Amino acid sequence: GQNIDQPTEMTATEGAIVQINCTYQTSGFNGLFWYQQHAGEAPTFLSYNVLDGLEEKGRFSSFLSRSKGYSYLLLKELQMKDSASYLCAAPSYNTDKLIFGTGTRLQVFP
Amino acid sequence: EAGVTQFPSHSVIEKGQTVTLRCDPISGHDNLYWYRRVMGKEIKFLLHFVKESKQDESGMPNNRFLAERTGGTYSTLKVQPAELEDSGVYFCASSQDIGQGYEQYFGPGTRLTVT
């Protein structure tokens, strides 16, 4: 079976750092995506990891450990506009359909 | 470059009625996907077109749902007759290619409410 788990909600303060975790169980592995979704808008691509380690892109970084079935998204220097849902997703093995977690709703407070 | 567009943005219909959702992918993207998010649940795959052909329709819930992509450009998803449990947000996505790492670009979704 395939399953992706992530926390439902998180809160953080402007300027702080927050880490959103994601664990996955898939029948095979073909990488892991993170998307950001503001309310009422399209999910937008943040990162893709297929190899172990940390990938940094400005204020956002994504980490993957394939042996542990674990990923996290790290957001630094939080801004109010970072309040959104963050979706962890993995392609189903040998297909292109994405399997999503429920998303983590992050609220950033002043 | 224009993104993925969907129409309508919202639709409210009564149980038993028919609704047709439309998706225009990014120009040149052969791959088009439909997904759905029902209240409180995760986004779930419905089907995948490669050009005009259905590559994978394993996520279609039942035969009340019909997706088409004539000519390999835009796609429609028809629900007939609609039931209460069909309420949710229907997302369309497109990608340039398939395989490892190819990003799927999502549209803003159509929020369907069946009353």
Side-chain angles (χ1 to χ4, degrees), chain B residues 30-88:
Chain B
D30 287 340
N31 296 277
L32 186 148
Y33 308 81
W34 283 99
Y35 292 85
R36 175 174 76 169
R37 184 172 200 162
V38 298
M39 180 89 78
K41 299 281 187 80
E42 70 274 21
I43 296 173
K44 283 194 171 176
F45 169 84
L46 296 177
L47 89 159
H48 171 205
F49 282 101
V50 178
K51 296 185 181 179
E52 66 274 12
S53 299
K54 290 175 186 173
Q55 177 78 8
D56 181 353
E57 51 184 329
S58 61
M60 294 288 263
N62 51 60
N63 59 10
R64 294 186 295 103
F65 288 75
L66 175 65
E68 294 180 324
R69 192 183 182 196
T70 308
T73 55
Y74 71 91
S75 174
T76 58
L77 180 65
K78 182 191 286 188
V79 186
Q80 179 182 31
E83 298 288 343
L84 298 178
E85 65 264 25
D86 301 332
S87 295

Side-chain angles (χ1 to χ4, degrees), chain A residues 93-104:
Chain A
Y93 193 64
N94 278 342
T95 76
D96 295 287
K97 63 185 180 187
L98 290 176
I99 309 298
F100 281 90
T102 54
T104 299

